[in-house]
Amino acid sequence: MKLPFSKTLDGRREIMIREHLAGRGISDPAVLSAMRTVPREAFVDSNLQDLAYDDNPLPIGDGQTISQPYIVAYMIEALEVTPADTVLEIGTGSGYAAAVLSRMAGHVHTVERLESLARSADRRLRMLGYDNVTVHLGDGTLGWPEQAPYDAVVVTAGAPHVPKQLLGQLTIGGRMVIPVGSSSHMQVLFRVRRTDEHEFRQEELCGVRFVPLIGADAW
Ligand code: SAM
């Protein structure tokens, strides 16, 4: 039996792009085109694949989640990624956001503190051919000094404050997008821009709800 396009996963991905992303104000063509090429269903358990294009976070094991597609798009749009950029993501989770970023940047380094998630994301990204993503196991509140500096840093877990080491690993002109809040489950999304060696400009973007960033310089 042939399903109508709107019921296939490709069809649902198109609806996600049109209604949940473009329809809610995501306008950067590079973000929309990256999200059109990455199969979100490949980043969740097979029993959740039918829900892959609902605009919701989904469980990925170990009490963690793959973020809602709109928030992934919103954060990546706010990062202003260009094709030559080296990007650092803190919180690999399923690897989905890293895969989307890899379609827009030169290289993506992504750090995950939980070994089982880091291993499965690495395996998945290799299998799907995202060769410009490197998964690192470690505490991302310390950044990843070996490959610094980064043109863009995105933190996909809620921090109590902006970790100092992450600021120091930004290029001049680099951007960081990070949820910060005094409660471990409710935050405000900030964009921090490094304008000079010692100067950073901070903008408040919107309210968000992320799992906590856990580490030496966080919860
Ligand atoms: N970006 C992910 C995706 O596309 O699936 C979703 C990330 S999930 C909302 C947050 C992730 O941050 C979890 O996998 C969690 O284990 C991780 N995390 C929390 N604290 C961390 C830390 N200090 N360093 C690295 N990862 C951390």
Side-chain angles (χ1 to χ4, degrees):
M1 188 183 72
K2 200 163 177 256
L3 287 171
F5 187 61
S6 65
K7 295 251 193 305
T8 64
L9 289 167
D10 286 350
R12 289 185 210 169
R13 190 179 316 124
E14 246 346 278
I15 292 170
M16 169 189 86
I17 300 286
R18 202 175 58 230
E19 292 179 9
H20 302 153
L21 307 187
R24 292 181 62 196
I26 303 298
S27 60
D28 182 342
V31 176
L32 295 172
S33 126
M35 295 213 31
R36 185 171 273 124
T37 67
V38 179
R40 191 169 186 257
E41 68 274 18
F43 292 81
V44 295
D45 272 0
S46 50
N47 63 326
L48 295 175
Q49 285 183 348
D50 258 8
L51 305 176
Y53 294 105
D54 292 355
D55 195 30
N56 287 317
L58 291 169
I60 54 171
D62 285 324
Q64 305 302 321
T65 52
I66 176 174
S67 304
Q68 171 192 359
Y70 172 74
I71 288 295
V72 174
Y74 184 91
M75 290 173 88
I76 293 179
E77 185 169 68
L79 268 185
E80 300 172 358
V81 177
T82 65
D85 282 355
T86 301
V87 178
L88 176 66
E89 179 195 31
I90 308 304
T92 312
S94 68
Y96 176 71
V100 174
L101 283 163
S102 79
R103 302 303 82 191
M104 300 172 60
H107 200 95
V108 179
H109 292 277
T110 178
V111 185
E112 172 57 56
R113 65 179 277 272
L114 297 175
E115 186 168 357
S116 60
L117 289 180
R119 278 185 191 281
S120 55
D122 187 45
R123 207 176 315 117
R124 186 178 291 128
L125 289 161
R126 298 279 77 74
M127 200 183 73
L128 294 169
Y130 294 107
D131 295 331
N132 61 338
V133 179
T134 311
V135 179
H136 305 279
L137 176 65
D139 176 2
T141 66
L142 308 175
W144 198 260
E146 288 86 338
Q147 308 295 333
Y150 303 99
D151 304 291
V153 174
V154 61
V155 180
T156 65
H161 54 260
V162 180
K164 218 177 172 157
Q165 308 254 24
L166 294 183
L167 290 172
Q169 291 175 28
L170 274 177
T171 57
I172 309 291
R175 292 83 52 204
M176 183 190 321
V177 171
I178 178 169
V180 180
S182 54
S183 136
S184 63
H185 282 90
M186 295 270 282
Q187 306 88 18
V188 171
L189 195 64
F190 284 94
R191 174 166 51 200
V192 183
R193 214 180 276 277
R194 186 172 199 173
T195 54
D196 206 336
E197 185 62 29
H198 302 290
E199 280 197 40
F200 297 87
R201 211 173 66 222
Q202 188 169 294
E203 296 158 74
E204 218 175 284
L205 301 178
C206 63
V208 285
R209 186 184 284 261
F210 274 90
V211 294
L213 182 73
I214 296 168
D217 196 9
W219 296 105

Coordinates of all heavy atoms in Angstrom, one line a residue, residues 92 110-119 134-140 143-144:
T92 N 25.8 16.3 23.5 CA 25.6 15.6 22.2 C 24.2 14.9 22.2 O 23.5 14.9 21.2 CB 26.7 14.5 22.0 OG1 27.9 15.0 22.3 CG2 26.6 13.9 20.7
T110 N 31.5 17.9 19.4 CA 30.4 17.8 20.3 C 30.8 17.0 21.5 O 31.4 15.9 21.4 CB 29.1 17.3 19.6 OG1 28.0 17.2 20.6 CG2 29.3 15.9 19.0
V111 N 30.4 17.5 22.7 CA 30.9 16.8 24.0 C 29.7 16.3 24.8 O 28.7 17.1 24.9 CB 31.7 17.9 24.9 CG1 32.2 17.2 26.1 CG2 32.8 18.6 24.1
E112 N 29.8 15.1 25.2 CA 28.7 14.5 26.0 C 29.3 13.9 27.3 O 30.4 13.2 27.2 CB 28.0 13.4 25.2 CG 27.0 12.5 25.9 CD 25.9 13.3 26.6 OE1 25.2 14.1 25.9 OE2 25.7 13.2 27.8
R113 N 28.7 14.1 28.4 CA 29.2 13.5 29.7 C 28.8 12.1 30.0 O 29.5 11.4 30.7 CB 28.8 14.4 30.9 CG 27.3 14.4 31.2 CD 27.0 15.3 32.4 NE 27.3 14.6 33.6 CZ 26.3 13.9 34.3 NH1 25.1 13.7 33.7 NH2 26.6 13.3 35.4
L114 N 27.7 11.6 29.3 CA 27.3 10.2 29.6 C 27.8 9.3 28.5 O 27.5 9.5 27.3 CB 25.8 10.2 29.6 CG 25.1 11.0 30.7 CD1 23.6 11.0 30.6 CD2 25.6 10.5 32.1
E115 N 28.6 8.3 28.9 CA 29.3 7.4 28.0 C 28.4 6.7 27.0 O 28.6 6.6 25.8 CB 30.2 6.4 28.7 CG 31.0 5.6 27.8 CD 32.1 4.8 28.5 OE1 32.3 4.9 29.7 OE2 32.8 4.1 27.8
S116 N 27.2 6.2 27.5 CA 26.4 5.4 26.7 C 25.8 6.3 25.6 O 25.7 5.8 24.4 CB 25.2 4.8 27.5 OG 24.5 5.8 28.1
L117 N 25.4 7.5 25.9 CA 24.9 8.4 24.8 C 26.0 8.8 23.9 O 25.8 8.9 22.6 CB 24.3 9.7 25.5 CG 23.0 9.5 26.2 CD1 22.5 10.8 26.8 CD2 21.9 8.9 25.3
A118 N 27.2 9.1 24.4 CA 28.3 9.5 23.5 C 28.6 8.4 22.5 O 28.8 8.6 21.3 CB 29.5 9.8 24.3
R119 N 28.6 7.2 23.0 CA 28.9 6.0 22.1 C 27.9 5.8 21.1 O 28.1 5.6 19.9 CB 29.0 4.7 23.0 CG 30.4 4.5 23.6 CD 30.4 3.2 24.3 NE 31.6 3.0 25.2 CZ 32.8 2.8 24.7 NH1 33.0 2.6 23.4 NH2 33.8 2.7 25.5
T134 N 32.9 15.3 15.3 CA 33.7 14.5 16.2 C 33.0 14.5 17.6 O 32.7 15.6 18.1 CB 35.1 15.0 16.4 OG1 35.6 15.3 15.1 CG2 36.0 14.1 17.1
V135 N 32.7 13.3 18.1 CA 32.1 13.2 19.4 C 33.2 13.0 20.5 O 34.0 12.2 20.3 CB 31.1 12.0 19.5 CG1 30.4 11.9 20.9 CG2 30.0 12.1 18.4
H136 N 33.1 13.8 21.6 CA 34.1 13.6 22.7 C 33.3 13.3 23.9 O 32.2 13.9 24.2 CB 34.8 15.0 22.9 CG 35.5 15.5 21.7 ND1 36.7 15.1 21.2 CD2 35.1 16.5 20.8 CE1 37.1 15.7 20.1 NE2 36.1 16.6 19.8
L137 N 33.9 12.4 24.7 CA 33.3 12.1 26.0 C 34.0 13.0 27.1 O 35.2 13.0 27.2 CB 33.6 10.6 26.3 CG 33.1 10.1 27.7 CD1 31.6 10.2 27.8 CD2 33.6 8.7 27.9
G138 N 33.2 13.7 27.9 CA 33.8 14.5 28.9 C 32.8 15.5 29.5 O 31.6 15.5 29.2
D139 N 33.4 16.4 30.3 CA 32.6 17.4 31.0 C 32.7 18.7 30.1 O 33.7 19.4 30.1 CB 33.1 17.7 32.4 CG 32.4 18.8 33.1 OD1 31.5 19.4 32.5 OD2 32.8 19.2 34.2
G140 N 31.6 19.0 29.4 CA 31.5 20.1 28.5 C 31.5 21.5 29.2 O 31.7 22.5 28.5
G143 N 34.5 23.0 28.3 CA 34.7 23.2 26.8 C 35.5 22.0 26.3 O 35.4 20.9 26.9
W144 N 36.2 22.2 25.2 CA 37.1 21.2 24.6 C 38.3 21.9 24.1 O 38.4 22.3 23.0 CB 36.4 20.4 23.5 CG 37.1 19.1 23.3 CD1 38.0 18.9 22.3 CD2 37.1 18.0 24.1 NE1 38.6 17.6 22.5 CE2 38.0 17.0 23.5 CE3 36.3 17.6 25.2 CZ2 38.2 15.8 24.1 CZ3 36.5 16.4 25.8 CH2 37.4 15.4 25.2

